[in-house]
Every structure is written in structure tokens, then in C-alpha cells.
Amino acid sequence: MRNTILSVFILATILCGVLVYFIPQTGTIILLSISGLLTLIAIYDSLQTKHSLLRAFPLIARLRWFFEEERDKIQQYFIEDNLNGTPINREKRSLVYQRSKKQIETVPFGTQHDVYKKGYEFVKHSLFPRDHHQIAGERVVFGSDKCTQKYNGSIINISAMSFGSLSKNAVMALNQGAKMASFAHNTGEGGISPYHLQGGDLIFQVGTGYFGAGRFDGEGKRVFDDKIFKKNAIRPEVKMIEIKFSQGAKPGHGGILPAKKNTEEIAQIRAVTPFTDVNSPPGHSAFSNYDEMVLFIQKVRDLSEGKPVGIKLCVGNNDEIEDMIKTFALAGNYPDFIAVDGGEGGTGAAPLEFSNYIGTPLIEGLVFINKLLIEYGLKNQIKIIASGKAIDAFDVVKYLALGADAVGMARSFMLSLGCIQARECNLDTCPVGVATQDKDLVKALVVEKKNVRVKNYHNKTIAAIKEMVAAMGISDITDLKPKHIFRRRKEKVVNLEEVYYLEKELI
Ligand SMILES: Cc1cc2nc3c(=O)[nH]c(=O)nc-3n(C[C@H](O)[C@H](O)[C@H](O)COP(=O)(O)O)c2cc1C
Ligand code: SF4
């Protein structure tokens, strides 16, 4: 095959040469140049020793590389239907775009979902629907009896994403949108940048790298620093603190900031060396057992002058989580909220095995935590924030019904900024300026336009939740219960109270 291909190109070049000899015009000269160039590439391919496929099929094999590179785009543009795209299907992506732009949201000709398929979920409407303008429960008060600066927040907030994984324009647009619609924006573990300080409420996340909350000790280890933390925690924009244990996309693995995205500015904010990979450790150095954890939570609360302090985790070892909640109950001291992230959660960059095979999916994790809080009498003190592919009103209604008090959204807010799910967040080549530090690409995201979309998406989703709850005949969102969500199991339909609360062995 190799010789045949080479012979074809060489022959074509000779023919073009003859053509130029007899008809010396621009067109024939261009033809000769092209075929000459292709022949040279084919000869190079056949001689190189790195790629066997190229040696066997000079030049032609390059097509494979091209299609492999463009595979995701071809899939998304030409093959994917409304329901089979991953991680977020086209139907949901389109809904976010429509809500963000305040465009028409109705669908024609009926559902595309197979309502008889196992796993299909729905809620039931009432003969006596409520007025959706009168639905209560879109705000929630965070803060246990241990906290003196309670926070009245929205039931939908922006889940943790750092400046570093996101561009400065993306962070600014998110924060300004949060300000416009009065909801909270989680800083992510990269600390507080000037772009977070646009007036929107902040949840200041403290990860294991203690960026914005710590420093390097004498041995080069990142350690928590009371002074540095306090300076940031008492900022008026900071409404709550979140101590991060793990996130669903890479539980048990620290944060990853690829060298390309670690610019001088980001490195300065995080107090690390620019253009190096920044991997925060998998665990905290500030405490090493449950009792120390309780003390640390209280110390953080004191340093922040009484603001609500929460922990974020993806449920892992069930016994450990139960021991932790038991310790909270015995100590009579606890976090003000637990943010439960599902194994299906998103990330800027994660090792494949961690993304695919580690961590409890959200529903099971959420139900598990909710049951423990009820069992140990802490449900009225500790709020639950659930995150994991919450995009439309049904997702939010389902998570609230299963025990969450509020929902965190990361990727749906990225979509509201114009993310097209190109899935290049780890490469610094994000084509729409959301997840990149490339100056030219960042400019693609116009803050003054996208901040409004962030606001619209939040407000329209809240409105859709109220409409859904009103149709169910419920007047307060906080009255949602697991029994309100139904799931098809073969020919039988069950409610989620039966699945998760009565059939205990399933969790
Ligand atoms: C680009 C990106 C960056 C993220 N950075 C953080 C982070 O710094 N800290 C964290 O706890 N979670 C981080 N996450 C996880 C999200 O906060 C969230 O828990 C997860 O994506 C699930 O929400 P989603 O399904 O709505 O995206 C990140 C997610 C994305 C997509
Ligand atoms: S467009 Fe692609 S690279 Fe940019 S944020 Fe979205 S998924 Fe990531």
C-alpha cells in the first residue's frame, strides 16, 4: 500500500510537471506546487519512524488524525440527537441558552422522552393547582445556632469554580449576574480574585491548598494561616465559608491547575510559581480526625466573625460519613451546611478513573446525608446544598424533594455564559472564553452581555420551579417531599419515598 500511494503522488507530480512545460500558466503552476508538496509530505511520512500507520499509509493516515481530533464536533453537530449528548444533552443545553437569552421556551408536538422507559421520572399535578405567583420558599436561611451572621440566600447558587479554571471575564460575569439576581457565587478553591469582587454575594471556598487562606510552611507544605484567612473571610461580600473535602469529579484527588492556565496573575493570587502545574493535596493539613475537624470548623467560624461555615464533599466511605455526623451530634457543634456533590459532577480537569469510577452519585449521597441528619437530630441545624447536573426546574425540584435545602450549579451557569460543551476546559483553548486564560479567547466573552444571561438563567429557572410546584398543588417549595417524585420501574411506577426511604437496603 505504501509504495502504491507514493507512486501515485510521484506520478501525479510528474504529470503536473509535464503540464507546466506545455501550458506554463498560473493554474498549472499552482497544481504542480500542490502535488509536489503532497509528494514531499508522503515521502516524509513513509520514512518517519514514530507512527506505524503513517509509514504504512503515507499522507492518507493524516485524515484519521484529523477526524479523530474533530470527532466531538462532528458528533455534536451532525450525529447527536436531543437526548443522547453527554455529559449534558442538547435538550438541556438549549433550555439554558433559551432561559439565558429570554427566548421562547416552549416545545412543539409533545415530549421526545420515552415515558414508558425504565427510569423515567415525573411529578404529578393537582386538580387544584396554585397561583405560581404566590409560591413561597425561593429563599433559604443558612446558619445554625452556632452562627451569628446568618445568610438569607437563594435556593439556586453558582457552585465552586475558581479563577484559574475560569477566565476573569467569566468570573466577572458570574459575579455581576449573581449581584443582579441576589444569589451567591462560590469562589472555588483558587481564592478570592478582584474579579470576584463585583458586588455579588460570595461563598469563600477553602480547599486543601488553602489559596487565599494559607501559605507555604518552612518545608514547602501549604498550611492554613489564621491572619490570611481572616482578612478574606471578613470581607462584606463573603456571606459563607465552605471547607472543601472533595468534589464528585475527582474525589480523593486534590485540585489541578494545569501549567498553561497558571498565569502570573493567578500565581500571584494563589501565592505559587507561575506556569507550573499546581496540584493541591488530596487532604487537609489543618486537622486529621473528626474532633479536630469540629474544632477547625468553629475556629473558621470565629475568624469569620460568626458567618455560616459549611463543608463540601462527595459521599465516599459511608461509615466515615456516619462517624463524622455522629461526632457533630456528640460535640454539639457542627457545620452550618453540607454541600453534597455527586460523582457525576463537573470539573476543569480530572484523571479519567477519578471522573468515571470514584464517588457516590448525587441522589444516593444526598439521601444518605439527609437520613443521617434526621437520625442524629441535626436536620434543623445543618442545611444541605446538592450539586450534580442540576439544569432544569425538575432537577431542582427533585433534589429539594430528596432533602436538599438549596442547589449548586456549575456547568449550567457555564452554559449561560455561552459554553458550547466543546470539552477543552483542561487545554486552555476554550473557544468561547469561559475556561481559558488565553487573552484573545477571553475577549470573546463580553461581560456586559453575559452577566445579564447569568441573571436571566437564575430568575427564569426559579420561575419555572414555582410554576412546576404550583401545578403540583403545593404552595411552599420547602414542602416538597420524596413521595412527590415518581419513577418508572418496568411496568410499575413508584415514588422516591418508597425507593429511598422504605427500601433501606438500596442505599
Ligand atoms: C470548570 C469547573 C471548575 C470547578 N472547580 C471547582 C472548585 O474549585 N472547587 C470545587 O469544590 N468544585 C469545583 N467544581 C465542581 C463544581 O463546583 C460542582 O460541584 C460540580 O461541577 C457539579 O455541579 P454541576 O453538575 O452543576 O456542574 C468545578 C467544576 C467545573 C465545571
Ligand atoms: S466551551 Fe468547551 S472548553 Fe469552554 S467551558 Fe465549555 S466545555 Fe469547557
Side-chain angles (χ1 to χ4, degrees):
M1 195 62 189
R2 180 180 170 194
N3 290 338
T4 317
I5 294 169
L6 278 177
S7 312
V8 168
F9 278 109
I10 291 168
L11 202 66
T13 308
I14 293 170
L15 281 176
C16 289
V18 174
L19 217 61
V20 169
Y21 182 77
F22 288 108
I23 319 168
Q25 287 175 359
T26 320
T28 51
I29 294 172
I30 292 175
L31 217 61
L32 176 64
S33 314
I34 294 172
S35 70
L37 185 71
L38 292 177
T39 307
L40 284 178
I41 297 174
I43 293 171
Y44 169 81
D45 287 352
S46 68
L47 295 178
Q48 58 79 40
T49 49
K50 203 169 160 199
H51 303 290
S52 336
L53 198 64
L54 264 187
R55 275 173 77 79
F57 300 89
L59 201 69
I60 309 274
R62 286 178 184 266
L63 282 177
R64 183 177 184 275
W65 268 263
F66 170 77
F67 284 118
E68 197 143 84
E69 191 102 316
E70 301 305 315
R71 199 173 160 273
D72 277 358
K73 290 182 193 110
I74 295 168
Q75 170 82 19
Q76 193 182 100
Y77 296 146
F78 304 112
I79 300 170
E80 170 187 312
D81 71 21
N82 269 353
L83 301 179
N84 69 2
T86 58
I88 296 169
N89 68 35
R90 180 179 291 277
E91 185 182 75
K92 296 218 178 204
R93 295 199 308 268
S94 303
L95 185 74
V96 179
Y97 300 145
Q98 286 155 354
R99 293 212 156 127
S100 310
K101 295 181 198 163
K102 283 195 168 175
Q103 286 173 343
I104 185 164
E105 291 170 35
T106 48
V107 288
F109 224 63
T111 181
Q112 289 190 299
H113 294 245
D114 180 356
V115 299
Y116 296 102
K117 199 172 154 189
K118 194 175 158 201
Y120 171 73
E121 289 176 338
F122 60 103
V123 294
K124 295 191 179 182
H125 60 286
S126 164
L127 277 178
F128 307 101
R130 306 283 172 147
D131 174 359
H132 66 91
H133 299 103
Q134 307 295 329
I135 301 301
E138 66 187 275
R139 307 288 298 179
V140 52
V141 177
F142 292 90
S144 67
D145 57 3
K146 305 288 169 227
C147 126
T148 50
Q149 292 196 52
K150 295 190 195 307
Y151 173 56
N152 185 327
S154 169
I155 53 167
I156 294 179
N157 299 294
I158 302 169
S159 194
M161 290 182 284
S162 312
F163 168 50
S165 73
L166 298 189
S167 69
K168 63 178 185 180
N169 285 15
V171 174
M172 280 196 279
L174 287 174
N175 195 268
Q176 292 175 13
K179 181 180 179 197
M180 290 175 189
S182 289
F183 63 103
H185 174 198
N186 191 313
T187 61
E189 59 183 310
I192 303 176
S193 71
Y195 313 113
H196 287 103
L197 300 171
Q198 307 287 311
D201 291 348
L202 285 179
I203 301 172
F204 173 26
Q205 187 175 72
V206 177
T208 54
Y210 302 119
F211 303 118
R215 56 178 165 79
F216 285 110
D217 68 0
E219 290 158 15
K221 205 168 86 180
R222 297 288 305 174
V223 289
F224 185 81
D225 183 294
D226 292 12
K227 259 196 189 158
I228 298 173
F229 169 76
K230 185 174 174 117
K231 201 172 137 225
N232 279 317
I234 60 172
R235 289 175 187 274
E237 297 89 348
V238 171
K239 304 295 177 194
M240 304 209 282
I241 320 294
E242 182 176 273
I243 302 165
K244 175 186 170 181
F245 284 77
S246 55
Q247 70 181 91
K250 45 183 171 186
H253 198 288
I256 305 172
L257 180 67
K260 256 189 166 180
K261 293 176 94 175
N262 180 17
T263 62
E264 307 245 349
E265 186 184 25
I266 289 162
Q268 202 218 332
I269 292 167
R270 296 192 183 199
V272 294
T273 315
F275 302 108
T276 55
D277 285 329
V278 175
N279 298 328
S280 27
H284 279 270
S285 58
F287 51 89
S288 55
N289 57 47
Y290 303 115
D291 294 323
E292 287 175 14
M293 186 196 294
V294 173
L295 293 176
F296 182 70
I297 290 170
Q298 186 55 43
K299 172 168 133 171
V300 165
R301 194 183 276 126
D302 290 339
L303 289 170
S304 64
E305 300 181 346
K307 291 179 183 173
V309 177
I311 57 174
K312 172 169 178 172
L313 50 83
C314 171
V315 171
N317 183 320
N318 288 29
D319 293 339
E320 282 180 3
I321 303 280
E322 177 154 11
D323 286 345
M324 177 182 77
I325 305 272
K326 204 190 280 178
T327 308
F328 295 155
L330 288 175
N333 203 344
Y334 20 75
D336 300 284
F337 65 90
I338 299 180
V340 192
D341 201 25
E344 65 271 46
T347 179
L352 182 109
E353 290 85 353
F354 279 75
S355 245
N356 286 353
Y357 307 113
I358 306 188
T360 308
L362 177 62
I363 302 277
E364 282 77 11
L366 167 62
V367 171
F368 181 62
I369 297 272
N370 191 43
K371 279 180 162 183
L372 287 176
L373 294 186
I374 296 169
E375 189 178 332
Y376 287 94
L378 294 173
K379 183 71 184 158
N380 60 342
Q381 299 290 352
I382 303 177
K383 295 281 184 288
I384 300 179
I385 303 176
S387 53
K389 284 198 187 180
I391 314 261
D392 61 23
F394 177 72
D395 300 327
V396 178
V397 163
K398 182 165 92 178
Y399 296 164
L400 296 180
L402 287 173
D405 299 280
V407 166
M409 296 182 177
R411 283 167 292 180
S412 39
F413 276 110
M414 289 168 87
L415 292 169
S416 78
L417 291 173
C419 161
I420 53 169
Q421 197 167 273
R423 301 205 299 117
E424 295 173 10
C425 317
N426 56 340
L427 301 179
D428 204 31
T429 52
C430 171
V432 289
V434 174
T436 176
Q437 302 306 320
D438 180 302
K439 285 192 179 113
D440 284 337
L441 292 172
V442 172
K443 278 188 209 146
L445 196 160
V446 179
V447 179
E448 296 72 29
K449 291 272 183 312
K450 302 293 168 154
N451 55 10
V452 180
R453 296 202 182 166
V454 171
K455 174 195 86 170
N456 291 344
Y457 172 60
H458 172 274
N459 290 355
K460 293 280 245 172
T461 308
I462 293 278
I465 294 166
K466 287 179 165 182
E467 286 190 5
M468 192 168 212
V469 169
M472 292 163 74
I474 295 172
S475 56
D476 191 322
I477 296 169
T478 57
D479 289 337
L480 285 165
K481 294 281 176 296
K483 67 176 182 190
H484 292 127
I485 314 293
F486 294 85
R487 182 183 290 167
R488 174 173 294 286
R489 270 189 179 176
K490 291 191 183 150
E491 63 291 335
K492 197 177 159 213
V493 167
V494 290
N495 71 49
L496 296 194
E497 183 177 3
E498 294 170 85
V499 178
Y500 293 112
Y501 285 82
L502 303 178
E503 295 179 15
K504 282 195 178 139
E505 74 280 5
L506 282 179
I507 298 165

